Amino acid sequence: MDIKIPILLFDYKDIEIDFVVLKSKIASFYGEFQPDYYLLHKRKIDFLFQNNLLTTKDYTIDIASLDLPNGITKTLDSFVSNRKRLISEYRIKIKEKDINILRIPSSPFVQVNANSLEKSDYRHYARKFKELPNELFDNNLIEMIKFIFLEIKKFLDFSEAHLIIHYTLIECINGESATNSPEGIHQDGMDYIVSAFVVESQNIYGAKSILYLEDKKTKIFQTTLKEGQGILQADKNSFLWHKVTEIQPIHSDLPAFRSSIGFDIEII
């Protein structure tokens, strides 16, 4: 498949959604977001590897089965997840400007190409997250989905697609930094992505979205997304790679977080 290469910075005004309602409604569900235990497990494996307690970054290892010094175990137990998620999955059918959106049960997903050389990337392993509450599959989300697919339609003629939507909450805990891009400069292994549509950004700095050429050094686009802004781009089979820099709290004694929605799109 010949994937075209859009880079689109868009705004909630382009979609004609009620952003105030969207932001307030999502915030009311923050307590429902599930800690990302996969990322927490990655952090523990990385710690053990960096401290020469593992010879390889094997993310399938059951840490509980390891014979570790008591001090190391206590350190691992102190780690907490600073990323939380909700997920939902859809089948999309398009005929001209008529878009049919069918929600289906979410299945475990792999977010990078299984043939990639980046074997140390924990996203090679299937992950499953908590389902998005039905209340958040509302008109605002539907309008966002329609907008994104009509934009892609401008670059590529297609009639069906598979869509995964991630609601993500990144928190600075105890004044520490946090990231939604622990894998660094990467691709997600999808035809198109919205790497982030920012819902809420509170008491933080950082979170700069950067797009690179395939050498992973040449920057071709960068911005710090404001609330209500997002980036649509090609991913798999393109020369585009991306990352978002970590967030830091402005005031360490106040809540600091970033809430966003991501879209993973596979053309069928």
Side-chain angles (χ1 to χ4, degrees), residues 103-114:
R103 183 171 181 177
I104 59 176
S106 296
S107 55
F109 73 99
V110 175
Q111 207 170 11
V112 283
N113 189 338

Side-chain angles (χ1 to χ4, degrees), residues 58-153:
D58 182 352
Y59 296 110
T60 64
I61 289 175
D62 178 7
I63 295 175
S65 68
L66 300 176
D67 185 16
L68 298 172
N70 188 51
I72 295 296
T73 300
K74 287 184 177 179
T75 298
L76 295 180
D77 288 344
S78 72
F79 289 179
V80 295
S81 175
N82 57 15
R83 179 164 75 178
K84 298 178 180 178
R85 284 184 188 255
L86 295 170
I87 197 170
S88 54
E89 193 168 334
Y90 308 86
R91 290 196 187 105
I92 308 295
K93 292 188 177 181
I94 302 178
K95 185 175 182 181
E96 296 181 351
K97 291 189 176 182
D98 182 24
I99 300 179
N100 178 264
I101 303 168
L102 175 65
R103 183 171 181 177
I104 59 176
S106 296
S107 55
F109 73 99
V110 175
Q111 207 170 11
V112 283
N113 189 338
N115 296 319
S116 167
L117 296 177
E118 303 289 342
K119 292 299 183 183
S120 61
D121 191 332
Y122 78 112
R123 298 173 306 147
H124 277 288
Y125 305 101
R127 295 173 290 161
K128 186 172 178 60
F129 295 99
K130 183 178 178 181
E131 290 273 4
L132 185 78
N134 288 330
E135 294 91 333
L136 291 178
F137 180 40
D138 58 10
N139 189 63
N140 278 326
L141 181 57
I142 289 170
E143 290 304 314
M144 290 180 67
I145 294 171
K146 289 181 177 179
F147 170 82
I148 289 164
F149 277 95
L150 288 177
E151 287 297 323
I152 296 174
K153 191 78 170 172

Side-chain angles (χ1 to χ4, degrees), residues 46-266:
D46 290 347
F47 175 84
L48 293 173
F49 177 78
Q50 291 161 6
N51 286 275
N52 300 314
L53 294 165
L54 289 175
T55 58
T56 182
K57 289 184 179 181
D58 182 352
Y59 296 110
T60 64
I61 289 175
D62 178 7
I63 295 175
S65 68
L66 300 176
D67 185 16
L68 298 172
N70 188 51
I72 295 296
T73 300
K74 287 184 177 179
T75 298
L76 295 180
D77 288 344
S78 72
F79 289 179
V80 295
S81 175
N82 57 15
R83 179 164 75 178
K84 298 178 180 178
R85 284 184 188 255
L86 295 170
I87 197 170
S88 54
E89 193 168 334
Y90 308 86
R91 290 196 187 105
I92 308 295
K93 292 188 177 181
I94 302 178
K95 185 175 182 181
E96 296 181 351
K97 291 189 176 182
D98 182 24
I99 300 179
N100 178 264
I101 303 168
L102 175 65
R103 183 171 181 177
I104 59 176
S106 296
S107 55
F109 73 99
V110 175
Q111 207 170 11
V112 283
N113 189 338
N115 296 319
S116 167
L117 296 177
E118 303 289 342
K119 292 299 183 183
S120 61
D121 191 332
Y122 78 112
R123 298 173 306 147
H124 277 288
Y125 305 101
R127 295 173 290 161
K128 186 172 178 60
F129 295 99
K130 183 178 178 181
E131 290 273 4
L132 185 78
N134 288 330
E135 294 91 333
L136 291 178
F137 180 40
D138 58 10
N139 189 63
N140 278 326
L141 181 57
I142 289 170
E143 290 304 314
M144 290 180 67
I145 294 171
K146 289 181 177 179
F147 170 82
I148 289 164
F149 277 95
L150 288 177
E151 287 297 323
I152 296 174
K153 191 78 170 172
K154 295 176 182 178
F155 294 89
L156 184 71
D157 185 25
F158 68 101
S159 59
E160 294 187 37
H162 176 236
L163 169 65
I164 300 174
I165 298 180
H166 309 261
Y167 280 62
T168 307
L169 180 65
I170 309 297
E171 301 174 293
C172 295
I173 299 173
N174 297 325
E176 296 182 355
S177 63
T179 180
N180 196 31
S181 188
E183 55 277 0
I185 302 170
H186 64 284
Q187 289 186 329
D188 289 337
M190 303 293 173
D191 293 324
Y192 295 92
I193 61 170
V194 173
S195 55
F197 173 83
V198 175
V199 175
E200 187 172 5
S201 181
Q202 187 172 130
N203 185 36
I204 63 167
Y205 65 92
K208 182 179 293 183
S209 296
I210 308 174
L211 272 60
Y212 297 84
L213 295 181
E214 56 194 349
D215 63 8
K216 304 181 187 178
K217 296 178 181 178
T218 306
K219 298 179 183 179
I220 60 171
F221 179 84
Q222 64 180 34
T223 187
T224 301
L225 294 171
K226 300 176 182 177
E227 292 184 355
Q229 288 185 323
I231 300 175
L232 169 65
Q233 66 181 81
D235 187 67
K236 185 176 70 174
N237 296 332
S238 81
F239 54 73
L240 295 178
W241 292 68
H242 65 281
K243 79 169 186 179
V244 59
T245 61
E246 65 183 16
I247 62 173
Q248 302 271 2
I250 297 173
H251 303 289
S252 60
D253 57 336
L254 296 175
F257 62 88
R258 182 177 187 252
S259 170
S260 64
I261 307 174
F263 296 75
D264 289 342
I265 299 159
E266 291 183 298

